[in-house]
Amino acid sequence: MWLLDVNLPTGLLALLRGCGISCDTTANRSWRDLTNGLLAEAAFGAGFRVILTRDRLFGESASRALGALPELAVVVVALPQARAAAYLSEFRARWEQRPIEPVAGSVVEWP
């Protein structure tokens, strides 16, 4: 199961679910205010194995939690910021070229 960090558009839920990915958002889980390390721990405890974020420093700030959670993957989505519709369109186009491939225990950048 994948978790979308608060800094990603919620429209990604439908897009990812359409690709067969089970996912939810930090907002839906009432985890908006958790810092990165606490978010990683809460997500893992709830069964999530991938966190998608735009926060390039997520891995750094959550390194201690990630070290204790080797089954958890963090994917930094490095698409340019845009309005939701344009962002989702770009995400879909990039996904069709190369879907996200999370790596357990690692922070990877996509695309």
XYZ file of all heavy atoms in Angstrom:
847
model
N 0.839 -1.169 0.000
C 0.000 0.000 0.000
C 0.892 1.244 0.000
O 1.923 1.257 0.653
C -0.908 -0.039 1.243
C -2.065 0.894 1.136
S -3.511 0.465 2.143
C -2.867 0.499 3.778
N 0.463 2.272 -0.752
C 1.249 3.487 -0.901
C 0.569 4.645 -0.186
O -0.657 4.757 -0.201
C 1.400 3.845 -2.368
C 2.217 2.882 -3.172
C 2.588 1.611 -2.835
C 2.757 3.113 -4.468
N 3.330 1.050 -3.828
C 3.440 1.945 -4.857
C 2.714 4.186 -5.335
C 4.091 1.832 -6.079
C 3.358 4.076 -6.561
C 4.045 2.907 -6.923
N 1.366 5.534 0.409
C 0.858 6.720 1.094
C 1.347 7.959 0.368
O 2.536 8.088 0.078
C 1.355 6.742 2.545
C 0.893 7.938 3.370
C -0.618 7.871 3.626
C 1.651 7.993 4.689
N 0.420 8.872 0.075
C 0.769 10.141 -0.549
C 0.946 11.193 0.526
O 0.041 11.424 1.334
C -0.333 10.586 -1.516
C -0.341 9.951 -2.902
C -0.580 8.463 -2.822
C -1.369 10.614 -3.774
N 2.118 11.805 0.546
C 2.418 12.852 1.508
C 1.519 14.052 1.240
O 0.951 14.211 0.149
C 3.899 13.239 1.392
C 4.444 13.941 2.619
O 3.680 14.180 3.573
O 5.653 14.252 2.624
N 1.425 14.918 2.215
C 0.527 16.070 2.162
C 0.871 17.030 1.016
O 0.022 17.781 0.565
C 0.520 16.797 3.528
C 1.842 17.473 3.807
C -0.619 17.767 3.632
N 2.089 16.987 0.510
C 2.518 17.920 -0.528
C 2.205 17.451 -1.953
O 2.605 18.090 -2.917
C 4.009 18.236 -0.374
C 4.870 16.993 -0.361
O 4.490 15.957 -0.889
N 6.036 17.097 0.243
N 1.482 16.354 -2.101
C 1.080 15.856 -3.421
C -0.412 16.078 -3.625
O -1.190 15.994 -2.671
C 1.403 14.366 -3.555
C 2.884 14.034 -3.661
C 3.111 12.543 -3.492
C 3.433 14.501 -4.997
N -0.825 16.335 -4.869
C -2.257 16.543 -5.118
C -3.069 15.273 -4.850
O -2.650 14.170 -5.218
C -2.332 16.934 -6.593
C -0.994 16.741 -7.171
C -0.023 16.473 -6.070
N -4.202 15.432 -4.207
C -5.042 14.280 -3.879
C -5.592 13.594 -5.122
O -5.986 12.437 -5.059
C -6.203 14.680 -2.954
O -6.960 15.708 -3.581
C -5.684 15.164 -1.610
N -5.579 14.280 -6.253
C -6.013 13.671 -7.511
C -5.168 12.478 -7.915
O -5.590 11.656 -8.726
N -3.980 12.361 -7.333
C -3.130 11.203 -7.618
C -3.755 9.904 -7.111
O -3.442 8.829 -7.618
C -1.742 11.371 -6.995
C -0.762 12.256 -7.738
C 0.544 12.361 -6.970
C -0.517 11.747 -9.137
N -4.631 9.998 -6.115
C -5.291 8.787 -5.602
C -5.991 8.039 -6.727
O -5.775 6.843 -6.915
C -6.317 9.140 -4.517
C -5.811 9.357 -3.117
C -6.968 9.716 -2.191
C -5.069 8.162 -2.588
N -6.856 8.742 -7.440
C -7.612 8.100 -8.519
C -6.687 7.593 -9.617
O -6.885 6.495 -10.148
C -8.640 9.071 -9.098
N -5.674 8.375 -9.952
C -4.738 7.971 -11.002
C -4.015 6.687 -10.610
O -3.956 5.733 -11.389
C -3.745 9.107 -11.246
C -2.881 9.008 -12.488
C -2.471 10.399 -12.943
C -1.655 8.166 -12.259
N -3.482 6.638 -9.401
C -2.743 5.452 -8.949
C -3.672 4.251 -8.774
O -3.313 3.130 -9.131
C -1.993 5.746 -7.657
C -0.797 6.690 -7.811
C -0.265 7.108 -6.445
C 0.299 6.041 -8.635
N -4.850 4.495 -8.240
C -5.807 3.398 -8.092
C -6.187 2.829 -9.453
O -6.372 1.625 -9.594
C -7.035 3.862 -7.319
C -6.734 4.059 -5.845
C -7.908 4.616 -5.088
N -7.583 4.750 -3.664
C -8.258 5.507 -2.827
N -9.316 6.198 -3.246
N -7.900 5.565 -1.563
N -6.278 3.691 -10.459
C -6.548 3.245 -11.821
C -5.431 2.380 -12.382
O -5.632 1.607 -13.314
N -4.249 2.509 -11.806
C -3.089 1.695 -12.203
C -2.957 0.452 -11.330
O -1.963 -0.260 -11.396
C -1.816 2.537 -12.111
S -1.755 3.922 -13.256
N -3.950 0.234 -10.465
C -3.930 -0.954 -9.619
C -3.151 -0.804 -8.327
O -2.860 -1.792 -7.660
N -2.818 0.444 -7.947
C -2.055 0.695 -6.729
C -3.038 1.015 -5.597
O -3.840 1.941 -5.703
C -1.096 1.892 -6.902
C -0.191 1.714 -8.113
C -0.318 2.156 -5.620
C 0.880 0.706 -7.986
N -2.943 0.296 -4.507
C -3.725 0.592 -3.312
C -3.036 1.747 -2.597
O -1.837 1.667 -2.289
C -3.776 -0.648 -2.415
O -4.440 -0.351 -1.220
N -3.759 2.849 -2.361
C -3.119 4.019 -1.777
C -4.092 4.863 -0.959
O -5.307 4.692 -1.055
C -2.468 4.871 -2.863
S -3.566 5.376 -4.189
N -3.520 5.772 -0.178
C -4.289 6.709 0.631
C -3.429 7.948 0.827
O -2.273 7.981 0.412
C -4.653 6.079 1.978
C -5.876 6.738 2.629
O -6.390 7.749 2.099
O -6.312 6.241 3.678
N -4.005 8.974 1.467
C -3.265 10.210 1.703
C -3.055 10.435 3.191
O -3.798 9.915 4.027
C -4.012 11.439 1.143
O -5.192 11.651 1.921
C -4.364 11.258 -0.323
N -2.056 11.246 3.499
C -1.819 11.607 4.896
C -3.021 12.364 5.452
O -3.371 12.194 6.613
C -0.549 12.459 5.047
O -0.644 13.595 4.196
C 0.685 11.673 4.719
N -3.652 13.174 4.627
C -4.820 13.936 5.081
C -5.966 13.003 5.472
O -6.604 13.196 6.507
C -5.272 14.909 4.007
N -6.227 11.989 4.653
C -7.300 11.034 4.965
C -7.031 10.298 6.271
O -7.957 9.863 6.944
C -7.470 10.008 3.848
C -8.118 10.586 2.620
O -8.713 11.653 2.647
N -7.997 9.869 1.509
N -5.764 10.126 6.610
C -5.373 9.399 7.824
C -5.201 10.330 9.027
O -4.821 9.871 10.097
C -4.049 8.650 7.581
C -4.128 7.569 6.534
C -4.870 6.394 7.098
N -5.082 5.372 6.090
C -5.017 4.085 6.330
N -4.758 3.649 7.547
N -5.249 3.214 5.384
N -5.444 11.619 8.829
C -5.240 12.640 9.878
C -3.787 12.691 10.339
O -3.495 12.908 11.519
C -6.172 12.398 11.072
O -7.505 12.481 10.661
N -2.862 12.504 9.390
C -1.435 12.528 9.689
C -0.749 13.759 9.120
O 0.472 13.793 8.990
C -0.756 11.283 9.098
C -1.148 9.993 9.736
C -1.712 9.806 10.967
C -0.993 8.693 9.177
N -1.924 8.473 11.198
C -1.490 7.757 10.116
C -0.486 8.217 7.972
C -1.492 6.391 9.886
C -0.489 6.851 7.738
C -0.982 5.946 8.687
N -1.513 14.789 8.779
C -0.961 15.993 8.160
C 0.168 16.624 8.975
O 1.095 17.190 8.428
C -2.047 17.045 7.968
C -3.017 16.760 6.879
C -4.062 17.863 6.878
N -4.540 18.284 5.599
C -3.871 18.906 4.640
N -2.630 19.163 4.799
N -4.438 19.256 3.522
N 0.049 16.570 10.287
C 0.989 17.278 11.146
C 2.169 16.441 11.622
O 3.002 16.926 12.377
C 0.238 17.850 12.357
C -0.808 18.878 11.951
O -0.590 19.588 10.947
O -1.848 18.970 12.624
N 2.253 15.195 11.189
C 3.376 14.352 11.617
C 4.649 14.760 10.878
O 4.634 14.992 9.675
C 3.086 12.874 11.336
C 1.959 12.229 12.136
C 1.812 10.766 11.743
C 2.198 12.359 13.626
N 5.750 14.816 11.615
C 7.037 15.076 10.973
C 7.434 13.824 10.182
O 6.858 12.751 10.366
C 8.117 15.392 12.024
O 8.235 14.274 12.903
C 7.780 16.650 12.802
N 8.406 13.946 9.334
C 8.760 12.858 8.418
C 9.061 11.533 9.110
O 8.588 10.483 8.691
C 9.928 13.277 7.531
C 9.541 14.411 6.604
O 8.367 14.689 6.393
N 10.533 15.072 6.043
N 9.856 11.557 10.174
C 10.182 10.315 10.882
C 8.949 9.683 11.514
O 8.727 8.476 11.412
N 8.127 10.501 12.165
C 6.900 9.987 12.779
C 5.915 9.511 11.721
O 5.212 8.523 11.920
C 6.263 11.049 13.676
C 7.056 11.409 14.930
C 6.387 12.550 15.677
C 7.221 10.199 15.824
N 5.889 10.207 10.587
C 5.015 9.786 9.495
C 5.453 8.422 8.967
O 4.619 7.541 8.735
C 5.021 10.817 8.363
C 4.199 10.449 7.135
C 2.728 10.261 7.490
C 4.355 11.507 6.054
N 6.741 8.231 8.794
C 7.247 6.940 8.317
C 6.858 5.822 9.280
O 6.394 4.758 8.851
C 8.770 6.998 8.150
N 7.012 6.060 10.571
C 6.649 5.044 11.568
C 5.155 4.751 11.559
O 4.743 3.588 11.589
C 7.095 5.506 12.958
C 8.595 5.520 13.123
C 9.044 6.169 14.424
O 8.186 6.615 15.224
O 10.269 6.239 14.637
N 4.326 5.797 11.514
C 2.874 5.610 11.503
C 2.432 4.886 10.239
O 1.596 3.973 10.285
C 2.165 6.963 11.611
N 3.001 5.279 9.105
C 2.640 4.655 7.833
C 2.989 3.169 7.843
O 2.160 2.324 7.485
C 3.358 5.362 6.686
N 4.188 2.863 8.261
C 4.610 1.464 8.302
C 3.724 0.654 9.240
O 3.287 -0.443 8.916
C 6.075 1.351 8.714
C 6.595 -0.043 8.611
C 6.979 -0.562 7.389
C 6.674 -0.856 9.733
C 7.436 -1.865 7.279
C 7.136 -2.165 9.642
C 7.516 -2.662 8.406
N 3.428 1.206 10.406
C 2.574 0.529 11.371
C 1.173 0.265 10.847
O 0.508 -0.687 11.257
N 0.723 1.113 9.909
C -0.610 0.958 9.321
C -0.604 0.094 8.057
O -1.633 -0.056 7.404
C -1.206 2.330 9.012
N 0.559 -0.441 7.704
C 0.624 -1.343 6.562
C 1.127 -0.740 5.259
O 1.193 -1.421 4.245
N 1.498 0.530 5.279
C 2.039 1.150 4.069
C 3.482 0.706 3.884
O 4.222 0.543 4.853
C 1.976 2.679 4.167
C 0.581 3.216 4.130
C -0.108 3.475 5.294
C -0.053 3.444 2.925
C -1.400 3.956 5.278
C -1.351 3.925 2.887
C -2.025 4.184 4.067
N 3.879 0.518 2.635
C 5.253 0.113 2.349
C 5.952 1.102 1.420
O 7.153 0.971 1.168
C 5.288 -1.296 1.749
C 4.841 -2.370 2.738
C 5.720 -2.371 3.984
N 5.298 -3.304 5.014
C 4.577 -2.977 6.086
N 4.169 -1.731 6.266
N 4.247 -3.874 6.984
N 5.194 2.098 0.930
C 5.768 3.124 0.059
C 5.174 4.469 0.453
O 3.967 4.581 0.648
C 5.453 2.849 -1.429
C 6.015 3.955 -2.325
C 5.993 1.492 -1.854
N 6.037 5.473 0.579
C 5.587 6.845 0.787
C 6.020 7.645 -0.422
O 7.196 7.644 -0.790
C 6.189 7.460 2.061
C 5.724 6.689 3.300
C 5.816 8.944 2.171
C 6.363 7.164 4.602
N 5.066 8.333 -1.056
C 5.370 9.244 -2.147
C 5.356 10.658 -1.585
O 4.432 11.023 -0.849
C 4.321 9.146 -3.255
C 4.595 8.151 -4.364
C 4.479 6.748 -3.833
C 3.653 8.375 -5.512
N 6.354 11.446 -1.927
C 6.467 12.808 -1.425
C 7.147 13.682 -2.459
O 7.795 13.185 -3.372
C 7.274 12.836 -0.096
O 7.271 14.167 0.415
C 8.686 12.330 -0.277
N 6.994 14.991 -2.298
C 7.764 15.944 -3.102
C 8.931 16.484 -2.284
O 9.769 17.213 -2.788
C 6.874 17.104 -3.538
C 5.837 16.690 -4.557
C 5.164 17.887 -5.079
N 6.227 18.811 -5.461
C 6.131 19.723 -6.392
N 5.041 19.875 -7.045
N 7.143 20.518 -6.672
N 8.973 16.146 -1.020
C 9.970 16.652 -0.075
C 11.319 15.987 -0.326
O 11.550 14.842 0.065
C 9.475 16.380 1.345
C 10.408 16.892 2.424
O 11.506 17.395 2.090
O 10.035 16.780 3.603
N 12.226 16.708 -0.947
C 13.543 16.156 -1.283
C 14.370 15.818 -0.038
O 15.319 15.056 -0.115
C 14.308 17.124 -2.177
C 13.669 17.282 -3.535
C 14.484 18.215 -4.402
N 13.823 18.478 -5.656
C 13.941 17.718 -6.732
N 14.686 16.638 -6.699
N 13.316 18.036 -7.842
N 14.015 16.377 1.099
C 14.771 16.127 2.328
C 14.113 15.070 3.212
O 14.557 14.835 4.327
C 14.935 17.435 3.110
C 15.671 18.545 2.363
C 15.701 19.821 3.196
C 17.071 18.103 1.999
N 13.052 14.427 2.715
C 12.327 13.443 3.520
C 13.260 12.357 4.039
O 13.250 12.047 5.219
C 11.208 12.800 2.696
C 10.254 11.978 3.523
C 9.016 12.480 3.847
C 10.584 10.702 3.959
C 8.120 11.741 4.605
C 9.711 9.951 4.722
C 8.472 10.475 5.047
N 14.045 11.786 3.175
C 14.945 10.707 3.576
C 15.938 11.130 4.628
O 16.226 10.382 5.556
N 16.454 12.342 4.497
C 17.407 12.861 5.458
C 16.766 13.029 6.832
O 17.289 12.583 7.847
C 17.904 14.234 4.980
C 19.385 14.404 5.025
C 19.749 15.736 4.413
O 19.763 16.740 5.152
O 20.022 15.748 3.196
N 15.591 13.662 6.850
C 14.958 13.945 8.131
C 14.334 12.704 8.756
O 14.114 12.648 9.955
C 13.919 15.055 7.989
O 12.884 14.669 7.135
N 14.046 11.685 7.951
C 13.444 10.454 8.471
C 14.438 9.306 8.509
O 14.057 8.156 8.668
C 12.242 10.070 7.611
N 15.730 9.606 8.385
C 16.733 8.545 8.243
C 16.722 7.550 9.403
O 16.888 6.354 9.199
C 18.127 9.135 8.059
O 18.491 9.886 9.194
N 16.541 8.024 10.611
C 16.525 7.112 11.765
C 15.345 6.146 11.668
O 15.506 4.938 11.854
C 16.464 7.919 13.051
C 16.695 7.071 14.265
C 16.953 7.932 15.483
N 16.279 7.295 16.603
C 15.763 7.913 17.616
N 15.826 9.217 17.688
N 15.190 7.255 18.580
N 14.176 6.683 11.353
C 12.995 5.831 11.228
C 13.163 4.860 10.062
O 12.835 3.678 10.176
C 11.739 6.679 11.024
N 13.697 5.341 8.942
C 13.885 4.468 7.780
C 14.904 3.375 8.064
O 14.764 2.258 7.575
C 14.309 5.284 6.560
C 13.232 6.203 5.982
C 13.813 7.060 4.866
C 12.045 5.415 5.494
N 15.914 3.677 8.862
C 16.899 2.660 9.230
C 16.272 1.519 10.009
O 16.699 0.369 9.910
N 15.232 1.833 10.766
C 14.545 0.814 11.560
C 13.426 0.134 10.775
O 12.842 -0.835 11.255
C 13.969 1.452 12.822
N 13.143 0.645 9.579
C 12.039 0.117 8.761
C 12.549 -0.255 7.367
O 12.201 0.383 6.374
C 10.921 1.166 8.645
C 10.371 1.714 9.953
C 9.497 2.932 9.715
C 9.613 0.635 10.706
N 13.375 -1.290 7.253
C 13.988 -1.610 5.963
C 13.002 -2.050 4.887
O 13.358 -2.096 3.715
C 14.970 -2.732 6.303
C 14.472 -3.321 7.569
C 13.785 -2.216 8.313
N 11.763 -2.339 5.251
C 10.766 -2.735 4.247
C 10.062 -1.526 3.638
O 9.291 -1.663 2.698
C 9.706 -3.668 4.853
C 10.266 -4.963 5.401
C 10.694 -4.833 6.865
O 10.504 -3.760 7.472
O 11.240 -5.809 7.400
N 10.313 -0.329 4.180
C 9.646 0.884 3.717
C 10.467 1.558 2.624
O 11.687 1.657 2.733
C 9.450 1.851 4.892
C 8.658 3.125 4.607
C 7.208 2.782 4.266
C 8.700 4.052 5.812
N 9.796 2.006 1.581
C 10.443 2.743 0.493
C 9.889 4.160 0.465
O 8.706 4.376 0.711
C 10.177 2.064 -0.847
N 10.741 5.108 0.144
C 10.321 6.494 -0.043
C 10.652 6.876 -1.475
O 11.768 6.658 -1.945
C 11.024 7.445 0.948
C 10.678 8.897 0.641
C 10.642 7.095 2.377
N 9.642 7.437 -2.158
C 9.831 7.886 -3.532
C 9.610 9.392 -3.567
O 8.539 9.881 -3.200
C 8.848 7.194 -4.497
C 8.999 7.748 -5.910
C 9.051 5.687 -4.468
N 10.648 10.127 -3.973
C 10.547 11.570 -4.120
C 10.111 11.841 -5.560
O 10.843 11.539 -6.506
C 11.891 12.260 -3.819
C 11.777 13.764 -4.051
C 12.333 11.955 -2.398
N 8.921 12.380 -5.696
C 8.366 12.687 -7.015
C 8.911 14.055 -7.419
O 8.560 15.074 -6.835
C 6.826 12.681 -6.993
C 6.275 13.005 -8.373
C 6.304 11.338 -6.494
N 9.788 14.068 -8.421
C 10.514 15.271 -8.806
C 9.954 15.905 -10.078
O 10.692 16.227 -10.997
C 11.988 14.937 -8.982
N 8.649 16.070 -10.106
C 8.025 16.767 -11.233
C 7.912 18.244 -10.885
O 7.725 18.588 -9.714
C 6.626 16.208 -11.502
C 6.544 14.764 -11.972
C 5.083 14.333 -12.105
C 7.271 14.581 -13.286
N 7.993 19.116 -11.881
C 7.853 20.545 -11.602
C 6.462 20.839 -11.017
O 5.471 20.214 -11.399
C 7.999 21.206 -12.973
C 8.574 20.178 -13.869
C 8.243 18.846 -13.290
N 6.428 21.801 -10.110
C 5.158 22.180 -9.514
C 4.276 22.806 -10.581
O 4.751 23.562 -11.438
C 5.377 23.167 -8.374
C 4.130 23.419 -7.587
C 4.438 24.014 -6.226
O 5.564 23.979 -5.764
N 3.432 24.551 -5.590
N 3.010 22.464 -10.553
C 2.046 22.992 -11.518
C 0.660 22.896 -10.895
O 0.473 22.241 -9.863
C 2.101 22.182 -12.812
N -0.308 23.504 -11.540
C -1.691 23.357 -11.075
C -2.066 21.891 -11.159
O -1.483 21.128 -11.935
C -2.622 24.210 -11.911
C -2.368 25.685 -11.714
C -3.385 26.511 -12.480
N -3.054 27.904 -12.385
C -3.685 28.763 -11.605
N -4.701 28.361 -10.869
N -3.332 30.022 -11.573
N -3.040 21.500 -10.356
C -3.367 20.079 -10.196
C -3.579 19.358 -11.525
O -3.006 18.294 -11.751
C -4.594 19.915 -9.304
N -4.379 19.900 -12.414
C -4.668 19.211 -13.680
C -3.398 19.002 -14.509
O -3.173 17.919 -15.048
C -5.709 19.985 -14.482
N -2.564 20.020 -14.600
C -1.322 19.913 -15.367
C -0.359 18.932 -14.694
O 0.306 18.138 -15.371
C -0.671 21.287 -15.518
N -0.303 18.975 -13.374
C 0.577 18.064 -12.634
C 0.153 16.614 -12.851
O 0.984 15.747 -13.123
C 0.536 18.410 -11.140
C 1.568 17.679 -10.323
C 2.842 18.194 -10.164
C 1.271 16.463 -9.717
C 3.798 17.535 -9.409
C 2.222 15.786 -8.970
C 3.476 16.326 -8.822
O 4.411 15.654 -8.089
N -1.147 16.362 -12.756
C -1.651 14.995 -12.953
C -1.409 14.509 -14.372
O -1.069 13.347 -14.589
C -3.136 14.926 -12.604
C -3.461 15.177 -11.125
C -4.968 15.239 -10.919
C -2.829 14.125 -10.245
N -1.562 15.397 -15.338
C -1.310 15.038 -16.735
C 0.157 14.667 -16.939
O 0.481 13.670 -17.593
C -1.700 16.209 -17.639
O -1.416 15.913 -18.977
N 1.054 15.466 -16.369
C 2.487 15.180 -16.473
C 2.836 13.883 -15.747
O 3.609 13.069 -16.243
C 3.296 16.346 -15.890
C 4.789 16.153 -15.946
C 5.362 16.201 -17.350
O 4.661 16.616 -18.289
O 6.538 15.810 -17.505
N 2.246 13.677 -14.569
C 2.488 12.447 -13.808
C 2.069 11.242 -14.639
O 2.811 10.266 -14.757
C 1.705 12.485 -12.491
C 2.039 11.364 -11.552
C 2.909 11.572 -10.496
C 1.488 10.096 -11.701
C 3.223 10.545 -9.608
C 1.790 9.059 -10.829
C 2.663 9.290 -9.776
N 0.876 11.299 -15.231
C 0.370 10.175 -16.039
C 1.294 9.901 -17.229
O 1.632 8.755 -17.512
C -1.042 10.451 -16.536
C -1.632 9.303 -17.348
C -2.998 9.620 -17.953
N -3.908 10.279 -17.056
C -4.681 9.665 -16.159
N -4.632 8.367 -16.037
N -5.503 10.359 -15.400
N 1.728 10.953 -17.909
C 2.611 10.787 -19.072
C 3.933 10.142 -18.656
O 4.428 9.219 -19.328
C 2.869 12.140 -19.730
N 4.498 10.597 -17.542
C 5.757 10.018 -17.071
C 5.567 8.574 -16.621
O 6.425 7.729 -16.830
C 6.330 10.847 -15.915
C 6.683 12.252 -16.304
C 7.893 12.271 -17.254
N 8.295 13.609 -17.564
C 9.378 14.204 -17.087
N 10.193 13.559 -16.286
N 9.653 15.435 -17.425
N 4.427 8.299 -15.957
C 4.117 6.942 -15.488
C 4.038 5.987 -16.681
O 4.518 4.861 -16.609
C 2.805 6.941 -14.717
C 2.397 5.599 -14.211
C 1.714 4.628 -14.902
C 2.649 5.043 -12.924
N 1.523 3.519 -14.111
C 2.083 3.747 -12.888
C 3.286 5.531 -11.780
C 2.150 2.934 -11.769
C 3.336 4.717 -10.668
C 2.774 3.426 -10.664
N 3.410 6.444 -17.754
C 3.288 5.591 -18.947
C 4.650 5.294 -19.556
O 4.862 4.222 -20.117
C 2.347 6.240 -19.953
C 0.898 6.211 -19.492
C -0.053 7.020 -20.358
O 0.400 7.637 -21.357
O -1.249 7.033 -20.034
N 5.592 6.222 -19.440
C 6.954 6.003 -19.933
C 7.734 5.072 -19.013
O 8.453 4.188 -19.469
C 7.719 7.326 -20.023
C 7.227 8.250 -21.086
C 7.928 9.603 -20.995
O 8.761 9.844 -20.122
N 7.574 10.494 -21.898
N 7.576 5.305 -17.706
C 8.330 4.518 -16.720
C 7.606 4.586 -15.373
O 7.732 5.560 -14.641
C 9.739 5.065 -16.562
C 10.611 4.218 -15.636
C 12.046 4.708 -15.603
N 12.213 5.998 -14.972
C 12.497 6.177 -13.681
N 12.640 5.150 -12.888
N 12.660 7.390 -13.200
N 6.843 3.546 -15.042
C 6.143 3.540 -13.746
C 7.140 3.610 -12.581
O 8.301 3.251 -12.715
C 5.404 2.204 -13.731
C 5.347 1.766 -15.151
C 6.569 2.339 -15.812
N 6.634 4.040 -11.455
C 7.446 4.101 -10.242
C 7.794 2.681 -9.804
O 6.926 1.812 -9.760
C 6.689 4.832 -9.115
C 6.497 6.298 -9.487
C 7.421 4.692 -7.783
C 5.598 7.065 -8.532
N 9.057 2.477 -9.475
C 9.518 1.198 -8.955
C 10.181 1.441 -7.603
O 11.380 1.722 -7.528
C 10.502 0.553 -9.932
C 9.868 0.186 -11.256
C 10.841 -0.453 -12.226
O 11.875 -0.984 -11.776
O 10.570 -0.397 -13.430
N 9.400 1.358 -6.515
C 9.964 1.587 -5.196
C 11.025 0.545 -4.843
O 10.945 -0.591 -5.283
C 8.774 1.458 -4.248
C 7.564 1.392 -5.111
C 7.991 0.991 -6.472
N 11.998 0.965 -4.044
C 13.056 0.074 -3.578
C 13.004 0.072 -2.053
O 13.263 1.102 -1.420
C 14.436 0.536 -4.076
C 15.528 -0.384 -3.540
C 14.466 0.596 -5.590
N 12.639 -1.063 -1.477
C 12.530 -1.174 -0.021
C 13.823 -0.747 0.654
O 14.917 -1.075 0.194
C 12.172 -2.609 0.388
N 13.679 0.042 1.707
C 14.829 0.494 2.474
C 15.581 1.655 1.848
O 16.649 2.015 2.327
N 15.024 2.227 0.783
C 15.722 3.289 0.067
C 14.831 4.494 -0.198
O 13.617 4.395 -0.193
C 16.204 2.785 -1.299
O 17.114 1.744 -1.148
N 15.506 5.607 -0.466
C 14.844 6.801 -0.959
C 15.258 6.935 -2.414
O 16.454 6.999 -2.723
C 15.287 8.059 -0.167
C 14.619 9.307 -0.729
C 14.960 7.898 1.311
N 14.297 6.900 -3.321
C 14.599 7.037 -4.747
C 13.855 8.237 -5.309
O 12.809 8.622 -4.798
C 14.228 5.765 -5.548
C 15.048 4.586 -5.103
C 12.750 5.451 -5.427
N 14.427 8.827 -6.350
C 13.792 9.952 -7.016
C 13.150 9.444 -8.303
O 13.714 8.621 -9.009
C 14.825 11.026 -7.318
C 14.208 12.303 -7.801
C 15.205 13.450 -7.872
O 15.762 13.800 -6.813
O 15.415 13.969 -8.984
N 11.960 9.970 -8.578
C 11.232 9.604 -9.796
C 10.696 10.867 -10.415
O 10.233 11.728 -9.696
C 10.091 8.641 -9.453
C 9.271 8.232 -10.635
C 9.525 7.186 -11.472
C 8.070 8.837 -11.106
N 8.552 7.121 -12.428
C 7.652 8.128 -12.224
C 7.315 9.933 -10.694
C 6.508 8.466 -12.953
C 6.179 10.266 -11.403
C 5.784 9.533 -12.515
N 10.674 11.065 -11.677
C 11.062 10.149 -12.739
C 12.511 10.175 -12.951
O 13.391 10.598 -13.123
C 10.293 10.638 -13.939
C 9.998 12.075 -13.700
C 10.006 12.240 -12.217
